Amino acid sequence: MRLFDLIEKHAFHTPDKPATVFEGRTHSWAQFRDRIAGLAAALAGRGVAPGDRVGYLGHNSHWLVETYFAPALIGAIAVPLNHRLAAAELVQILHDCTPKVLIADRHFAEIAKDLVASSEVETLILADWDPADRTDMQAYETLISAQGEIPQNGSAGQDTMALFYTSGTTGRPKGVMLSHLNMLTNAMGTCTAYGYTAEDVLLLSGPLFHLATGSRVFSAILYGIPMVIQPKFSVDGLLDLVGRHGVTTTTLVPTMFQMVLDHPGFAAADQSSLRKLSYGGAPMPVALMERLLATLPDVTFGQGYGMTEVSPVLSVLAPEDHLPSNGVYPKLASIGRPMPYCDVRIVDAQDQPVPQGETGEITVRGPNVMNGYWNRPDETRVALRGGFYHTGDAGYFDEEGYIHLAGRTKEMIITGGENVYPIETENCLSQHPAVATAAVIGVPDAHWGERVVAAVALKEAAGVEELIAHCRARIAGYKVPKDVHIWDGPLPLTPANKIDKTAIKKKVCVP
């Protein structure tokens, strides 16, 4: 099956229903279909062939959403680029995936010109409504209006339809090859788990170069859900769009939820349309989740855990798991149960399953697992050894089959012979009323090998000794941070709005 077939279905049955809403312009499902088809024909007319890559550089927009699908109609591969990267990093990615065409919005037009000069890109297209004053690049809107014939050699099923680059926090970004089947599987699973319906209105707020938000595009085309697109996340903009368009659902990472709740205009904003919210991309502090439940009692919550390589959800903490009255509320600190199509195993260093309750690496196989890493056969073989994708995350199964995340296996801290996974210490710190966000890392120590160190952003005054004492009363002594660094302002974030532990470690470890 082609993902575009779902768009054609909605264009046939509900042609006038809104598909995308962006900066005051609404496109119906019929218009959405025609625009995608027009772009595919334009790409084919510029020599894009099956297997070629088409890059997109820009903020969230209907142009970016259309570019998710158009290349696949001619067998090409979409590459949403992380616009927050430095120019040198973008050049590195372009050299890796060698796109034939680069589409850029007005915010990145000049950067795109420089990138083209440093890469093998043949055609530069400007995505804008009125590019008449730009004669140095081709106009998206003009190109799609030609409506040429679409070749019948598109991709489908297990064919790769998109490359999503990993954030690169553990090394050079890798292009993750994802198929129509991957995306469809994830959409069917998460839509069912979170209770999406055709009556929902979806807000796309997080960056669409990242699958935490990008995967929701495929949820929308599964049910024909209107997509309200925010160019880039801001709390003011989010609250305005929710009230103005009757948004019922969105997906945010925990740091974004924290910003929303702390915003001075939150309480007065119209939130009456909200029905279901999901979160993922980073661990959710229990204290923050409890605050959300208390603040939005009429909203259901669902958590998705995963990563780009699994399209991206591996397990879900379902809405009913967030209700104190259902008996499993203590599972709030878990990442839920595996999706029905995921075979999840917790394994040791020899890839042998460990007993229930014992911590090991989380591995998974299923129809949502990637085709592999672009141009990296050796790394693909290692990641998919034995037929299971090795996540690099450590966790364990409890007696009811819920997975509890301990942290990245590479983040595990070995102090005095004891293994410490940062999440437990971070959760403990987050329960202190003065702590807004917390991150725990290991730093070299001559005596212990490593020592546990925390960085915290505060919402009210608190001393280092007070925070350490708070932890000492609640967790084992070897898990208690030996040092706590009070951060000046919010903790640094990666482009995907996750806490940037690499940046924290560089600052903390400076002599």
Side-chain angles (χ1 to χ4, degrees):
M1 181 179 185
R2 305 179 307 170
L3 289 171
F4 185 71
D5 293 341
L6 296 171
I7 296 169
E8 288 201 306
K9 176 186 74 172
H10 302 306
F12 179 81
H13 290 289
T14 55
D16 299 324
K17 183 181 179 181
T20 62
V21 179
F22 175 70
E23 292 189 338
R25 291 180 171 89
T26 298
H27 291 127
S28 69
W29 283 99
Q31 291 170 321
F32 186 49
R33 173 203 58 198
D34 291 345
R35 290 176 62 84
I36 292 168
L39 177 58
L43 294 172
R46 274 137 195 85
V48 178
D52 286 341
R53 277 73 60 204
V54 176
Y56 190 98
L57 181 65
H59 291 150
N60 293 352
S61 67
H62 60 76
W63 295 296
L64 176 48
V65 173
E66 291 156 9
T67 306
Y68 269 25
F69 302 100
L73 281 181
I74 53 175
I77 299 170
V79 188
L81 296 168
N82 180 349
H83 59 74
R84 296 175 181 170
L85 295 177
E89 295 171 305
L90 287 168
V91 168
Q92 187 180 66
I93 289 176
L94 292 181
H95 283 320
D96 186 58
C97 66
T98 59
K100 182 166 285 190
V101 171
L102 177 61
I103 303 171
D105 70 14
R106 63 183 179 274
H107 305 287
F108 296 92
E110 294 304 319
I111 294 173
K113 286 175 61 178
D114 293 339
L115 293 174
V116 168
S118 305
S119 68
E120 300 174 32
V121 173
E122 297 176 6
T123 303
L124 178 58
I125 297 173
L126 178 62
D128 199 356
W129 283 108
D130 186 20
D133 59 337
R134 302 299 303 240
T135 58
D136 50 352
M137 55 190 74
Q138 299 185 45
Y140 186 111
E141 293 299 319
T142 302
L143 292 175
I144 68 170
S145 64
Q147 289 288 344
E149 183 177 350
I150 303 171
Q152 298 302 306
N153 56 352
S155 60
Q158 294 181 322
D159 297 331
T160 296
M161 56 86 65
L163 288 181
F164 280 84
Y165 274 81
T166 59
S167 61
T169 54
T170 57
R172 190 160 58 93
K174 298 186 287 287
V176 178
M177 298 187 288
L178 298 176
S179 69
H180 295 256
L181 177 62
N182 292 156
M183 300 302 197
L184 180 60
T185 300
N186 181 82
M188 293 177 71
T190 53
C191 283
T192 301
Y194 299 147
Y196 290 168
T197 72
E199 284 67 50
D200 276 313
V201 177
L202 169 68
L203 173 63
L204 300 173
S205 186
L208 288 172
F209 58 72
H210 191 279
L211 270 187
T213 296
S215 63
R216 292 294 174 263
V217 171
F218 305 102
S219 302
I221 67 163
L222 185 62
Y223 280 98
I225 297 171
M227 293 171 274
V228 178
I229 305 168
Q230 185 178 16
K232 57 181 180 178
F233 172 75
S234 71
V235 179
D236 285 325
L238 180 146
L239 295 175
D240 173 65
L241 291 172
V242 168
R244 188 144 46 95
H245 296 288
V247 168
T248 65
T249 185
T250 192
T251 296
L252 303 176
V253 300
T255 52
M256 295 161 79
F257 274 119
Q258 181 84 54
M259 294 164 70
V260 171
L261 290 181
D262 291 343
H263 191 273
F266 172 71
D270 181 4
Q271 312 150 16
S272 60
S273 61
L274 289 175
R275 294 288 179 269
K276 56 203 81 165
L277 296 173
S278 55
Y279 59 96
M284 170 68 82
V286 173
L288 176 57
M289 189 68 251
E290 290 176 336
R291 185 180 172 197
L292 283 164
L293 291 167
T295 306
L296 298 168
D298 297 325
V299 174
T300 63
F301 288 87
Q303 176 192 179
Y305 158 75
M307 58 283 302
T308 305
E309 288 88 342
V310 296
S311 310
V313 176
L314 180 160
S315 66
V316 163
L317 190 68
E320 56 268 25
D321 295 322
H322 292 76
L323 302 176
S325 60
N326 73 350
V328 292
Y329 189 65
K331 306 300 185 186
L332 202 59
S334 79
I335 54 172
R337 289 170 162 154
M339 300 299 280
Y341 43 77
C342 287
D343 182 4
V344 176
R345 312 273 178 94
I346 310 292
V347 301
D348 61 19
Q350 288 72 47
D351 280 345
Q352 296 302 306
V354 301
Q356 176 261 314
E358 187 173 315
T359 297
E361 183 176 8
I362 301 170
T363 67
V364 59
R365 65 180 173 184
N368 59 322
V369 174
M370 66 173 178
N371 285 341
Y373 294 118
W374 181 260
N375 283 340
R376 298 196 184 193
D378 292 340
E379 291 183 53
T380 298
R381 277 191 291 272
V382 171
L384 297 177
R385 62 188 182 275
F388 282 76
Y389 170 65
H390 290 63
T391 67
D393 283 349
Y396 64 91
F397 275 116
D398 69 13
E399 61 279 5
E400 283 89 31
Y402 288 77
I403 306 172
H404 294 258
L405 193 63
R408 294 288 295 172
T409 54
K410 293 180 180 178
E411 288 183 359
M412 185 180 73
I413 303 164
I414 304 177
T415 179
E418 297 282 4
N419 294 345
V420 177
Y421 290 97
I423 287 177
E424 187 173 0
T425 306
E426 289 166 351
N427 268 331
C428 183
L429 282 165
S430 74
Q431 290 167 1
H432 189 285
V435 173
T437 50
V440 170
I441 59 173
V443 302
D445 185 276
H447 181 70
W448 299 107
E450 286 184 292
R451 68 179 184 276
V452 180
V453 173
V456 298
L458 298 178
K459 52 190 175 184
E460 57 187 68
V464 169
E465 291 304 320
E466 176 186 348
L467 296 174
I468 292 175
H470 168 85
C471 292
R472 191 176 293 117
R474 291 164 175 80
I475 55 178
Y478 64 87
K479 300 176 184 178
V480 173
K482 300 297 184 290
D483 303 297
V484 176
H485 292 258
I486 308 297
W487 211 259
D488 183 14
L491 295 182
L493 301 178
T494 69
N497 290 310
K498 302 178 185 180
I499 293 175
D500 190 343
K501 291 190 175 182
T502 301
I504 292 172
K505 199 163 194 173
K506 286 179 180 178
K507 185 170 182 179
V508 166
C509 291
V510 171

